[in-house]
């Protein structure tokens, strides 16, 4: 979101906006450090907050500045690739249903009919265990990341061609593949392995907050480059800074429109 918003602001404005976003992240870091000291955590906790805060702060700050400077924008026009986006987004929703229920403190198999499709609080042959624990799941994080990439990638054709657009395209492709991998790994374990259909698990990319499995990461990177080659040709090669004539302004604030809609 930050990259797409910066592309709307232009080179000079984007540098200033990014500097202010970094400054805001450092303020968050300072606030977290002060809070730790007040509660007696002299060791500094589990690490600095600035790297983790930089992403969301930069996205929120630069998006707000892009809206102030260029307006909200609107929907990108319909493209043939959007059928794939809708199908993939719908499949992700099917995977994410147990996690959405778990976030609300409920088991998915408590809902009528869904108990026939999904495992929830019961594991076949293991009465003492649950298939999908209550609370948040990393699979839902993966689905949210993939949905974000699918939505924001629709705005790539409305950006001015250049290195910034290329970086945004690669980043969104990597985000999509990473999110799909995280969601698939969690869903496979809970809905396939725990049914006893197979004992083989999908490779994990992150364990205990640390990247693992260099082969899986290489595969993820390769798939990300393939996705980038799939949707990169949709980016027109026009005059830098030219507005896309295909953008239809609306008053609806959608994820892609907030981040990158409107006229550059």
């Amino acid at each position: 979101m930050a990259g797409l918003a910066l592309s709307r602001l232009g080179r000079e404005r984007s540098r200033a906006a990014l500097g202010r976003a970094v400054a805001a992240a450092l303020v968050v870091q300072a606030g977290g450090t002060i809070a730790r000291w007040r509660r007696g955590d002299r060791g500094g906790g589990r690490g600095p907050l600035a790297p983790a805060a930089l992403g969301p702060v930069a996205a929120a700050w630069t998006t707000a500045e892009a809206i102030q400077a260029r307006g909200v924008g609107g929907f990108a026009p319909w493209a043939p690739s959007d059928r794939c986006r809708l199908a993939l987004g719908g499949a992700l929703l099917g995977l994410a249903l147990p996690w959405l229920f778990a976030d609300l403190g409920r088991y998915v198999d408590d809902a009528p009919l869904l108990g026939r499709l999904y495992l929830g609080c019961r594991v076949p042959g293991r009465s003492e265990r649950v298939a999908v624990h209550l609370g948040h799941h990393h699979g839902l994080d993966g689905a949210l990341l993939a949905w974000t990439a699918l939505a924001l990638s629709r705005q790539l054709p409305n950006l001015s061609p250049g290195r910034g657009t290329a970086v945004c395209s690669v980043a969104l492709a990597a985000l999509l593949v990473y999110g799909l991998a995280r969601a698939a790994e969690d869903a496979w374990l809970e809905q396939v392995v725990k049914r006893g259909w197979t004992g083989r698990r999908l490779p994990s990319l992150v364990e205990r907050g640390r990247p693992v499995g260099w082969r899986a990461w290489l595969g993820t990177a390769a798939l990300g480059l393939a996705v980038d080659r799939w949707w990169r040709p949709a980016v027109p090669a026009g005059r830098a800074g030219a507005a896309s004539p295909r953008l239809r302004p609306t008053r609806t604030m959608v994820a892609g429109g907030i981040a990158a809609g409107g006229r550059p």
Side-chain angles (χ1 to χ4, degrees), residues 229-242:
R229 289 180 62 87
W230 170 57
W231 63 33
R232 179 80 71 86
V235 181
R239 180 175 56 87

Side-chain angles (χ1 to χ4, degrees), residues 110-204:
D110 291 336
L113 300 180
L114 293 181
R116 298 183 179 181
L117 299 176
Y118 299 97
L119 290 183
C121 64
R122 290 174 291 276
V123 178
R126 300 291 298 273
S127 59
E128 74 280 5
R129 294 185 60 188
V130 296
V132 182
H133 66 80
L134 298 181
H136 195 65
H137 288 252
H138 70 266
L140 181 57
D141 288 333
L144 292 172
L145 292 176
W147 283 328
T148 300
L150 289 173
L152 296 183
S153 64
R154 299 190 71 246
Q155 292 293 337
L156 289 174
N158 297 312
L159 302 182
S160 301
R163 293 181 180 178
T165 300
V167 170
C168 287
S169 178
V170 172
L172 290 174
L175 189 67
L176 173 62
V177 175
Y178 174 78
L180 290 175
R182 296 286 279 169
E185 181 264 330
D186 202 6
W188 182 268
L189 171 64
E190 294 172 348
Q191 302 298 326
V192 177
V193 175
K194 291 185 178 180
R195 290 180 190 266
W197 291 348
T198 181
R200 185 181 296 274
R201 297 177 56 175
L202 296 183
S204 178

Side-chain angles (χ1 to χ4, degrees), residues 83-99:
R83 293 187 180 91
C84 295
R85 288 184 173 90
L86 286 176
L88 189 54
L92 276 172
L93 179 59
L95 290 181
L97 276 179
W99 307 323

Side-chain angles (χ1 to χ4, degrees), residues 8 70-75 247-252 257-258 260-263:
R8 293 189 63 204
R70 304 294 187 185
V72 173
F75 292 100
L247 190 66
R248 296 193 296 267
T250 69
R251 297 182 180 180
T252 305
I258 292 176
R263 293 186 173 89

